[in-house]
Amino acid sequence: MVQKMGQCYKVSVIGGGTAGLVAARELQREGHHVTVFEKANRVGGTWLYDPRVETDPLGIDPNREIVHTSLYKSLRVNLPRQVMGFLDYPFLKKDGGDPRHFPGHQEVLRFLEDFARDFGLMELIRFEHEVVRVELVDEASHEWVVESRTRTTESKWESKEEIFEAVVICNGKSTEPKIAEFSGRDIWPGLQMHSHNYRTPQQFENKTVVLIGNGPSAVDILREIAPLAKQVHQAVRGPNFKLKRLEKHDNAWQHSMIECAHKDGKLVFQDGSIVYADVIIHCTGYKYHFPFLKSNGIVTVDDNRVGPLYKHVFPPSLAPWLSFVGLNYKAVPAITIELQAKWVAKVVSGKLGLPTQAAMTYSVEEFYREMERKGWPKHHTHNLLYNEFEYIEWVARELDIRPPNWWKNITYESHVKMLRYYGSEYRDAWDIDEWMLEMNSPNFSTP
């Protein structure tokens, strides 16, 4: 189909979190008719705290009622607020709010609610509408059916089908838990849960707890439960990890990964150490999950690779009428998501073009070949840690936008460096304002 310059379409956005809101704004700016489907009763996505946890604490039962958010009650952001705002809408300190550079999750939710109100997005959103099917019904006219359902009573749902000309998927990436695999996991008698279902530390009082993982959630949860727990043991993948006591904690140790589990509660680690534990918390990340998308096998999720996607956004054979915004991780979130949303909106309206389907497919395949040559595992496909600068600059050039000066210095990688430099207190020890002033100095360097 030939697109006309500035053509307006009826577009569905799946999800009312950060990606969905900024996608809706950019699509609306281009004159498209936008409908946002949001399962919750408020905007915010993963930033909408929910004290509930799932009936299956590991999150592997397909029939469980899914709780979307993975927030624990005490969570603070792990990137400074200066990089969590949008290019024309910064995440500023506000009267009565949390003034810290690394605020709590409540402040992020407030920012997103203000953003939605200030740009008139609330009237575009259908709250408490869960999308259960997205399917292409007419390839020639690129018509998609979006089936959603709303709860009318505790046990009754009402479904509705609507036709859209384009669909943008923004349903997040922190809802479907990924579980560590080790021998004997299914017969181990203690409590196993995923960090997705962690909210507060009280239930771990006087317990011996094993945390699997070394990411931000594992570090935060360990720090929070250690004062209450009898013992905490952190299991970490990689050849350089071995048994050692963790600094600042008299009752916490770090091990290599779990080798096997036994019926009597014993856990054997790869370093040969043994612990009898009460609880295992899997802080092991998430799987991309689009159960509603019916694409006849065109778009698949294989070992956490969503593909094929041109530049992580467009499936070549369905572009530009199907797109994804916000899949990437280990990157500065706001600028990456915002630039992707701007790109999608302008491509759909015909103001920016895409390469041919064949050229996009070749680009995707070349990217996969490059990953293989460099030894990157498939599940790191959407990890921007290795090429964040190049990716953001590429999308910005497509849009003829010059990113702000700070973005090359405050990155996911700089966060990791600051964590190593300041330790777990980095959120309060790192003076971001002073650091940003010094950033353009000829002598500037990251600690």
Side-chain angles (χ1 to χ4, degrees):
M1 176 180 176
V2 178
Q3 283 177 262
K4 297 179 181 178
M5 174 70 78
Q7 187 80 11
C8 299
Y9 295 101
K10 188 178 178 185
V11 184
S12 167
V13 174
I14 314 299
T18 304
L21 292 175
V22 74
R25 183 188 72 164
E26 298 304 329
L27 289 161
Q28 187 182 50
R29 281 177 163 177
E30 289 297 318
H32 300 296
H33 306 291
V34 182
T35 301
V36 180
F37 291 89
E38 171 51 51
K39 182 180 177 181
N41 60 2
R42 296 170 64 184
V43 299
T46 196
W47 296 104
L48 185 59
Y49 177 73
D50 190 337
R52 297 179 304 151
V53 295
E54 297 177 353
T55 51
D56 172 14
L58 267 182
I60 57 178
D61 179 2
N63 298 316
R64 73 193 189 281
E65 182 175 354
I66 294 174
V67 176
H68 183 76
T69 184
S70 299
L71 291 181
Y72 34 97
K73 190 174 182 180
S74 65
L75 183 139
R76 291 173 65 184
V77 299
N78 59 10
L79 286 173
R81 68 192 308 145
Q82 286 86 342
V83 302
M84 295 189 70
F86 302 114
L87 295 175
D88 59 352
Y89 195 86
F91 187 7
L92 301 174
K93 301 173 185 178
K94 292 192 175 182
D95 291 342
D98 185 340
R100 295 175 294 180
H101 292 305
F102 295 82
H105 58 83
Q106 302 91 336
E107 187 76 356
V108 184
L109 179 61
R110 178 181 175 182
F111 166 74
L112 292 175
E113 289 174 335
D114 290 345
F115 176 81
R117 282 192 295 266
D118 290 348
F119 287 99
L121 305 178
M122 300 299 279
E123 53 264 37
L124 308 179
I125 304 172
R126 296 200 188 152
F127 291 107
E128 298 181 306
H129 278 63
E130 179 185 2
V131 172
V132 295
R133 182 167 63 102
V134 172
E135 186 171 7
L136 182 65
V137 292
D138 191 320
E139 191 170 342
S141 60
H142 54 88
E143 290 185 344
W144 296 81
V145 62
V146 175
E147 181 183 355
S148 62
R149 67 175 187 170
T150 55
R151 193 187 293 272
T152 55
T153 66
E154 187 64 30
S155 59
K156 187 177 179 182
W157 296 82
E158 181 179 284
S159 296
K160 182 179 181 180
E161 294 183 358
E162 295 175 77
I163 298 296
F164 293 88
E165 294 161 295
V167 176
V168 186
I169 296 178
C170 309
N171 68 318
K173 52 182 179 287
S174 300
T175 294
E176 189 70 12
K178 185 166 57 175
I179 305 301
E181 299 291 344
F182 49 87
S183 175
R185 192 198 73 194
D186 293 338
I187 63 170
W188 191 75
L191 169 65
Q192 292 190 67
M193 62 184 291
H194 191 275
S195 57
H196 174 70
N197 287 305
Y198 174 83
R199 296 294 181 268
T200 59
Q202 284 73 24
Q203 73 183 99
F204 306 104
E205 186 169 3
N206 296 321
K207 303 288 187 183
T208 296
V209 181
V210 172
L211 288 164
I212 303 176
N214 197 34
S217 62
V219 173
D220 282 353
I221 294 171
L222 187 152
R223 182 183 178 192
E224 188 164 83
I225 69 175
L228 295 176
K230 181 179 179 182
Q231 293 182 356
V232 182
H233 300 266
Q234 182 184 20
V236 183
R237 294 188 187 278
N240 299 322
F241 293 99
K242 56 185 179 181
L243 179 61
K244 67 175 183 179
R245 186 187 292 273
L246 290 172
E247 295 180 8
K248 300 182 181 179
H249 299 290
D250 294 332
N251 63 337
W253 293 264
Q254 188 177 81
H255 303 253
S256 56
M257 185 52 188
I258 297 172
E259 177 74 33
C260 60
H262 296 265
K263 285 183 179 180
D264 62 357
K266 181 171 66 177
L267 296 172
V268 180
F269 299 89
Q270 291 173 355
D271 56 33
S273 56
I274 295 173
V275 169
Y276 286 85
D278 304 298
V279 183
I280 298 175
I281 306 178
H282 295 245
C283 304
T284 43
Y286 297 88
K287 298 182 286 188
Y288 295 106
H289 192 53
F290 313 102
F292 52 82
L293 180 59
K294 314 300 178 186
S295 67
N296 290 322
I298 294 175
V299 178
T300 62
V301 181
D302 178 17
D303 192 15
N304 243 22
R305 170 183 284 172
V306 185
L309 293 182
Y310 176 63
K311 303 296 184 181
H312 307 285
V313 174
F314 292 106
S317 65
L318 298 173
W321 314 116
L322 180 68
S323 58
F324 295 76
V325 170
L327 288 185
N328 300 104
Y329 62 99
K330 292 194 177 177
V332 175
I335 190 170
T336 307
I337 291 170
E338 184 177 10
L339 291 177
Q340 288 178 338
K342 288 178 181 291
W343 185 35
V344 167
K346 290 188 179 296
V347 168
V348 170
S349 61
K351 293 182 180 179
L352 289 176
L354 289 173
T356 64
Q357 178 181 331
M360 287 191 285
T361 299
Y362 179 82
S363 174
V364 175
E365 292 172 348
E366 180 58 30
F367 173 54
Y368 293 167
R369 285 192 289 269
E370 180 186 10
M371 287 187 65
E372 289 182 15
R373 286 194 297 269
K374 293 182 176 179
W376 298 346
K378 183 183 288 188
H379 63 263
H380 281 191
T381 296
H382 306 294
N383 181 349
L384 284 189
L385 180 61
Y386 306 114
N387 63 343
E388 182 180 6
F389 296 161
E390 294 84 354
Y391 181 78
I392 290 178
E393 285 186 331
W394 185 92
V395 182
R397 281 197 305 272
E398 289 291 296
L399 295 163
D400 197 23
I401 290 175
R402 183 176 180 179
N405 291 332
W406 52 255
W407 78 271
K408 280 193 175 182
N409 292 310
I410 301 184
T411 63
Y412 182 88
E413 188 173 7
S414 71
H415 154 255
V416 173
K417 289 179 180 178
M418 288 301 171
L419 181 58
R420 291 173 184 157
Y421 184 74
Y422 290 117
S424 60
E425 306 297 327
Y426 74 95
R427 294 180 179 93
D428 297 309
W430 185 7
D431 188 333
I432 301 295
D433 287 336
E434 181 180 351
W435 198 69
M436 291 187 78
L437 286 174
E438 296 174 354
M439 198 177 290
N440 292 320
S441 165
N443 299 319
F444 175 81
S445 63
T446 300

